[in-house]
Amino acid sequence: MTVKRDFIEACYGRPVGRRPIWIMRQAGRYQASYRAVRTKHSFDELCHTPELAAQVTLDAVRQFDLDAAIIFSDIMVILPPMGLPVTFAPGPKIAVPIRRPDQIARLKPLDPRADVGYVMNALRQVRAALPEPVGLIGFSGAPFTLACYAIEGETSREYPTARQFFYREPDAAEQLMKHFADAIADYLNAQIDAGADAVQLFDSWGGLLSAADYRRWVLPHMQAIIAKIRRPNVPVILYVNGSSHLVDALSDTRCDVVSVDWRTDLPAAAAKCAKQTALQGNLDPVALLGTPDEIRRRVDTIVDEMDTTGKGHVFNLGHGILPPTPEENLRVLVEHVHARRPRLQTAGNDQ
């Protein structure tokens, strides 16, 4: 018998028993339990040890009655096996970034089961331990975001070196994007095989691009990834930070769910998306530092706006939860989202 998961149903715009919610970075520093684990283990240990990754993944769901778990990992884990070692100090640092076209030809293909098998082991452990109605999300960084890190070599606000590479070496940039897209598709397929019920692509820096450049450099690779990982009832979510100007292009990737940040008007985004595309988001993470009444008020606004669209909706923040967030405020958020009676969706996708 197939288990009905409200999170999956909402991703396809189908009727749900309760309005689903999960939170980006829901296993993290705002949690006392996570901080306790970090006193004994480094971030790198957590990512590379399936038992620890499974533990912190499950803790968040158990503590806050969330409708989906997202596997604890990092988007950078697939870079070292391809020949781009990463250190954290504390942000990601690549000692020898890509600055010349000949470096791209030397990148290795990714064998996800051999190179990052610990992620699949963690997924299997979490799926086995999760209550059946709770969804499990796998994820990867998107090609452009990985390219930004690989070329810039470190975190940046604007990634000028990376973007310059695309302007000056368009053929090499295309080769790099294809290399990452192939690896990401293989990686996400391995996660689905290991038990992920859905996958999310994080394009943290895609919003730096104009709509024209996104369509030129990113869209074809996103379409290729999504075509390669398409499975019945395994929705694909795409999150791009700062994407108000890109919503129609994100829908054109043929993802099932477009996840938007708090600066994006939900009804306007819904109007730009394909009929069957659901939305995810989009509470400002800072709102969780406010009062319980203000949190409830903002939830009501988002829910009311989404109910006017007739689209599927997965409640989430517009970015990751902030470390100073009180745990009790997250409980207020989850309880109030669940208290809002789900509206019968009308724009369903019958995959």
Side-chain angles (χ1 to χ4, degrees):
M1 178 175 144
T2 302
V3 176
K4 180 176 177 180
R5 299 186 173 106
D6 287 329
F7 160 66
I8 302 297
E9 299 300 298
C11 287
Y12 290 123
R14 301 169 186 154
V16 294
R18 69 176 185 179
R19 195 177 300 269
I21 176 172
W22 70 277
I23 301 296
M24 286 185 275
R25 295 186 195 147
Q26 62 191 29
R29 289 177 290 166
Y30 74 97
Q31 291 175 283
S33 60
Y34 177 87
R35 295 194 300 272
V37 173
R38 282 299 309 277
T39 63
K40 301 174 184 176
H41 304 281
S42 68
F43 178 77
D44 195 58
E45 283 181 282
L46 260 63
C47 289
H48 287 80
T49 308
E51 294 74 18
L52 293 174
Q55 176 187 333
V56 296
T57 299
L58 289 163
D59 282 347
V61 171
R62 290 165 174 164
Q63 291 169 16
F64 300 105
D65 192 26
L66 296 158
D67 296 284
I70 183 166
I71 195 66
F72 186 88
S73 187
D74 189 81
I75 67 170
M76 306 297 280
V77 298
I78 63 173
L79 293 184
M82 289 189 275
L84 294 166
V86 180
T87 57
F88 291 88
K93 188 96 172 172
I94 296 173
V96 184
I98 291 172
R99 298 294 168 81
R100 304 184 315 276
D102 63 284
Q103 292 174 274
I104 299 168
R106 295 198 294 271
L107 291 176
K108 301 171 186 176
L110 181 74
D111 181 343
R113 291 166 181 83
D115 294 332
V116 285
Y118 51 86
V119 176
M120 272 49 80
N121 287 339
L123 280 159
R124 282 188 282 268
Q125 290 183 31
V126 172
R127 184 66 271 169
L130 272 180
E132 287 209 332
V134 178
L136 175 56
I137 305 169
F139 73 90
S140 174
F144 181 73
T145 286
L146 293 183
C148 283
Y149 286 118
I151 299 168
E152 201 79 26
E154 60 187 356
T155 301
S156 166
R157 288 177 63 88
E158 301 290 337
Y159 289 88
T161 305
R163 291 159 67 198
Q164 174 184 304
F165 189 90
F166 276 75
Y167 284 117
R168 291 190 172 184
E169 302 284 356
D171 291 342
E174 175 71 16
Q175 183 184 357
L176 181 62
M177 290 287 285
K178 185 178 186 310
H179 184 94
F180 284 151
D182 289 343
I184 289 163
D186 289 345
Y187 181 43
L188 292 176
N189 271 321
Q191 292 187 51
I192 295 168
D193 290 342
D197 302 302
V199 292
Q200 177 157 313
L201 283 149
F202 286 89
D203 206 353
S204 305
W205 307 115
L208 293 174
L209 296 174
S210 69
D213 283 342
Y214 187 91
R215 287 185 174 276
R216 174 188 176 188
W217 288 328
V218 180
L219 179 59
H221 299 287
M222 298 302 295
Q223 289 173 332
I225 291 169
I226 291 169
K228 288 177 181 177
I229 65 174
R230 177 66 67 201
R231 312 270 188 103
N233 287 309
V234 181
V236 179
I237 308 167
L238 175 56
Y239 173 77
V240 181
N241 191 27
S243 62
S244 294
H245 62 302
L246 299 176
V247 171
D248 56 343
L250 305 189
S251 180
D252 286 346
T253 66
R254 304 185 187 100
C255 65
D256 300 293
V257 184
V258 170
S259 183
V260 295
D261 64 38
W262 66 97
R263 293 156 290 199
T264 302
D265 179 80
L266 284 171
K272 293 177 182 177
C273 287
K275 180 182 178 182
Q276 72 273 14
T277 307
L279 289 180
Q280 179 174 276
N282 69 335
L283 183 69
D284 185 346
V286 177
L288 287 182
L289 305 181
T291 65
D293 284 347
E294 181 64 11
I295 293 167
R296 295 184 188 101
R297 187 188 72 79
R298 288 176 178 266
V299 167
D300 288 340
T301 297
I302 290 170
V303 168
D304 290 344
E305 287 180 345
M306 278 306 305
D307 280 353
T308 68
T309 70
K311 283 186 171 290
H313 181 224
V314 176
F315 204 103
N316 208 313
L317 303 183
H319 201 261
I321 190 168
L322 298 172
T325 301
E327 292 188 25
E328 185 53 39
N329 280 6
L330 181 54
R331 290 192 181 90
V332 168
L333 171 65
V334 174
E335 288 172 4
H336 195 61
V337 169
H338 286 158
R340 288 297 310 263
R341 185 177 179 84
R343 181 182 186 277
L344 182 65
Q345 310 296 346
T346 58
N349 182 337
D350 293 329
Q351 287 195 44

